[in-house]
Amino acid sequence: MARVRLPQLRLDELLEELQARLDAARSTRDRVHSLLEAVLSVGRELDLEQVLRGIVQAAAVLVDAEYAALGVIGPDGKRLSEFLTVGVTDEQIAEIGPFPQGHGILGELIRHPEPLRLNKLSQHPSSYGFPPHHPPMNSFVGVPIRVREQVFGNLYLTEKRGGAQFDEDDESVLSTLAVAAGVAIDNARLYEESRLQERWLRASAEVTHSLMSGSDRGEVLRLIAERAREITGAALAVVAVPMEGTDSLTVELAIGQQAEPHRGLVLPVGGSLIGEAFLGATPVSSPDISCDPRISVEPSRFTGLGPAVAVPVGSGDGLRGVVLLVRAAGRTVFSEAETEPLQGFAAQAAVAMELAERRRDAEQIAVLQDRDRIARDLHDLAIQRLFATGMTLQSAGRFIEHQEASERVARAVDDLDETIKIIRSTIFGLRSRDEAAGPGLRARAVRAVGESAPVLGFAPSVRMEGLLDTHVPKETADHVMAVLSEALTNVARHARASRVDVVLETDGRHVRLRVSDDGVGIPAGGRRSGLRNMSERAQQLGGALDCTSPEGGGTTLVWRVPVTEQ
């Protein structure tokens, strides 16, 4: 039987086909191996920036692309907030200019997040060319990256090496990498969020510890601003607090870039970015504060700055102020994920500040209670003993026949009476609690008398009695101070005195100021405009002024007006 022999040409073709399939299988094996390596490499990283960089580099290697990029879609879902590239040098990037925002082909994938493969970029309807100095690009493949069903960004690859076109295998490999990239990005995000939360908690603990240890309020505000600026990567941090009795906020603290123009600045609550956050007690953000209409043009204070967020410190009646954080121009806007822990940090800082204030109030109450105890002891013990001693001396004085000794005992009794009055005045001072409204009449009078000493050449003596800080209304107290200053000035100018006695007292119905000196008295033809002013003040309040100048010299001025108990 004749042997059937295959033609030699057919055998060569079969061998070539077999070799091609072996090469394809080997190539597929190598590509799968490379893909697995890329997936493992990307998955090992936990730093988000490194993860994104690794994804771009792996994509370029897997499909043998000369250029690769990863565009991160911003919070608005319409434009790119970040753009990482491979294959383009820093010099080329500088020549090209700002990174793309998501127009043209890049925007096509944002609008339609599905794989896109093109043989020639310029032939697509959405393409409108490249900016100057951009390297030529023709072949293109792009795939979306999803994180938990949300489109995070897109992979863009151009110019397959060797002049070849991207094929279905390339698209499939990139789609597989995109799935792995989504998982890696999600893990990196979770890790980043946990680290961020840990930093916020540590900062909150630091602020609380600083407040509870008694640190100065200014130091605490600086600590809050510094930690918020460091954690959010802001270039500028500003702390504004409400001005008492006004509808304005004043910048108490500013640190970082462009800080100097902010210090001491007074901002209206209405119509300003910080004021809006204060009024609404909610965070207010701006994508670019340098051109935000809620920012006054002058003074110029946001040069080189961009995204900003204003966060209230506290809420409701416990609102303590506003923290403004501003990033450098070109940086990413403040996302909701960043603002939420920042708001929590500010709220915790407000609570800590309130607790510190309550602690200071408790300490103040303890001091006042101690003052009450001292005042009670002085009244119940010291004054009673002095009074009893005076009564004893007074009784004993009737049995003293020696005239000089009797007079000495009488003077001692008078001195005891004066001592009792001084102690009573001290008790009234100890029991005065109206320090929150500013210096009381007692403190103001003491300060005025002390300030007159350099002009007089000596220190006047002062005696005060009664509840001056509580029984004398503020308006009346202002008149008292004006009369006291005028009287001391007149003594310094005209009296040529060596002694001045000031007595300020109230019995709850009237307040009386007496200023006496041992000077030359009031000449008959002297000017009396100052006395006339003091008299008019007394008459305005329903009181009177009495001024006497005895023949022996000196002057005594008594200014007396009614008061109503407050």
Side-chain angles (χ1 to χ4, degrees):
M1 183 175 179
R3 179 184 295 180
V4 178
R5 298 183 62 184
L6 292 173
Q8 186 65 35
L9 181 61
R10 179 61 175 163
L11 180 59
D12 291 341
E13 289 177 354
L14 289 174
L15 290 174
E16 287 177 3
E17 183 178 350
L18 178 60
Q19 184 63 43
R21 292 190 179 187
L22 288 173
D23 291 342
R26 189 179 296 110
S27 175
T28 301
R29 182 200 63 188
D30 293 342
R31 174 166 278 197
V32 170
H33 182 69
S34 299
L35 177 60
L36 290 174
E37 283 187 345
V39 169
L40 291 174
S41 175
V42 169
R44 277 195 295 265
E45 289 289 345
L46 286 175
D47 180 78
L48 183 57
E49 186 174 349
Q50 292 298 325
V51 167
L52 298 181
R53 179 67 60 184
I55 292 170
V56 181
Q57 292 171 344
V61 172
L62 284 173
V63 298
D64 203 20
E66 187 173 352
Y67 304 107
L70 192 156
V72 179
I73 300 175
D76 60 359
K78 297 178 180 179
R79 62 183 65 188
L80 299 176
S81 60
E82 292 184 61
F83 198 74
L84 293 82
T85 62
V86 168
V88 183
T89 65
D90 292 339
E91 291 76 11
Q92 287 176 311
I93 292 174
E95 291 178 346
I96 294 170
F99 284 123
Q101 296 294 307
H103 305 294
I105 296 297
L106 304 186
E108 182 69 19
L109 262 77
I110 296 175
R111 293 185 294 272
H112 305 97
E114 298 293 337
L116 177 65
R117 189 159 38 92
L118 302 171
N119 291 335
K120 198 169 182 64
L121 274 168
S122 59
Q123 293 178 351
H124 194 279
S126 297
S127 177
Y128 57 82
F130 297 105
H133 308 293
H134 197 285
M137 295 180 181
N138 293 294
S139 56
F140 171 87
V141 62
V143 294
I145 298 175
R146 287 182 170 83
V147 178
R148 298 188 181 184
E149 303 305 320
Q150 294 287 330
V151 178
F152 173 83
N154 295 299
L155 272 173
Y156 308 106
L157 296 105
T158 61
E159 291 301 286
K160 190 174 179 71
R161 296 182 187 277
Q165 297 294 327
F166 295 109
D167 55 25
E168 291 183 5
D169 289 341
D170 294 326
E171 184 180 312
S172 177
V173 167
L174 288 176
S175 297
T176 304
L177 177 64
V179 173
V183 175
I185 290 170
D186 192 30
N187 290 338
R189 273 181 163 179
L190 291 173
Y191 177 70
E192 192 174 71
E193 287 174 6
S194 66
R195 288 188 61 193
L196 188 62
Q197 186 177 18
E198 181 184 352
R199 293 183 68 187
W200 282 122
L201 290 173
R202 191 161 53 243
S204 296
E206 190 177 357
V207 170
T208 301
H209 178 268
S210 179
L211 282 165
M212 294 298 102
S213 62
S215 297
D216 180 73
R217 179 173 176 273
E219 294 179 6
V220 175
L221 287 178
R222 174 170 288 276
L223 181 61
I224 292 172
E226 286 179 345
R227 294 296 173 266
R229 186 171 73 97
E230 290 171 2
I231 295 174
T232 60
L236 170 69
V238 173
V239 179
V241 297
M243 295 179 67
E244 188 175 355
T246 70
D247 292 330
S248 300
L249 298 165
T250 181
V251 175
E252 186 165 325
L253 177 71
I255 56 174
Q257 185 178 336
Q258 295 287 319
E260 187 59 35
H262 287 84
R263 295 186 180 122
L265 193 65
V266 176
L267 303 168
V269 171
S272 66
L273 181 69
I274 290 180
E276 188 176 328
F278 184 80
L279 284 176
T282 185
V284 177
S285 61
S286 172
D288 188 355
I289 198 169
S290 62
C291 57
D292 195 298
R294 294 167 293 185
I295 301 298
S296 58
V297 178
E298 295 295 337
S300 177
R301 57 191 189 279
F302 291 109
T303 304
L305 298 173
V309 62
V311 179
V313 179
S315 60
D317 295 336
L319 200 58
R320 308 284 169 171
V322 177
V323 174
L324 174 69
L325 298 170
V326 189
R327 285 177 174 155
R331 292 287 306 278
T332 57
V333 299
F334 286 89
S335 64
E336 186 177 344
E338 291 177 301
T339 304
E340 187 175 347
L342 174 60
Q343 190 176 7
F345 171 66
Q348 288 180 356
V351 171
M353 291 172 71
E354 185 173 355
L355 288 174
E357 288 179 7
R358 296 293 179 267
R359 177 174 56 82
R360 286 193 292 270
D361 289 343
E363 292 173 353
Q364 182 66 22
I365 289 173
V367 170
L368 292 175
Q369 289 176 340
D370 199 40
R371 289 169 63 180
D372 277 346
R373 179 188 60 76
I374 295 171
R376 188 169 56 251
D377 290 347
L378 285 174
H379 183 273
D380 296 344
L381 301 175
I383 288 181
Q384 298 304 322
R385 290 180 68 102
L386 289 173
F387 185 75
T389 302
M391 292 290 290
T392 301
L393 289 175
Q394 218 170 16
S395 299
R398 294 196 297 269
F399 301 102
I400 299 176
E401 298 180 355
H402 192 281
Q403 181 65 27
E404 185 176 350
S406 178
E407 291 176 355
R408 287 186 179 182
V409 170
R411 285 198 297 272
V413 172
D414 292 340
D415 288 343
L416 286 174
D417 287 340
E418 288 296 316
T419 302
I420 290 172
K421 290 180 181 180
I422 291 172
I423 293 176
R424 280 176 174 164
S425 178
T426 302
I427 291 172
F428 292 140
L430 286 171
R431 285 178 172 168
S432 173
R433 289 180 172 83
D434 196 21
E435 298 175 358
L441 177 57
R442 184 181 300 273
R444 293 171 65 188
V446 170
R447 187 181 301 116
V449 171
E451 291 173 352
S452 70
V455 181
L456 291 168
F458 55 87
S461 66
V462 183
R463 184 163 62 88
M464 299 184 188
E465 290 189 63
L467 300 176
L468 294 169
D469 291 340
T470 55
H471 283 172
V472 182
K474 185 179 184 303
E475 182 182 355
T476 304
D478 292 339
H479 284 287
V480 171
M481 292 306 303
V483 171
L484 176 58
S485 298
E486 180 71 22
L488 293 174
T489 299
N490 287 342
V491 173
R493 287 179 177 175
H494 311 296
R496 299 198 296 275
S498 60
R499 177 182 175 85
V500 176
D501 297 316
V502 176
V503 178
L504 182 59
E505 56 189 354
T506 182
D507 58 2
R509 297 184 298 274
H510 295 84
V511 60
R512 187 174 76 103
L513 172 65
R514 181 170 67 86
V515 180
S516 59
D517 66 78
D518 62 352
V520 298
I522 302 175
R527 295 178 58 187
R528 296 177 179 267
S529 58
L531 292 175
R532 185 166 57 252
N533 290 337
M534 289 186 277
S535 178
E536 289 175 354
R537 286 180 181 274
Q539 292 173 6
Q540 180 181 343
L541 298 174
L545 171 69
D546 183 25
C547 186
T548 59
S549 187
E551 292 183 359
T555 303
T556 299
L557 178 149
V558 178
W559 190 85
R560 185 173 181 270
V561 297
V563 298
T564 55
E565 187 170 345
Q566 302 297 305

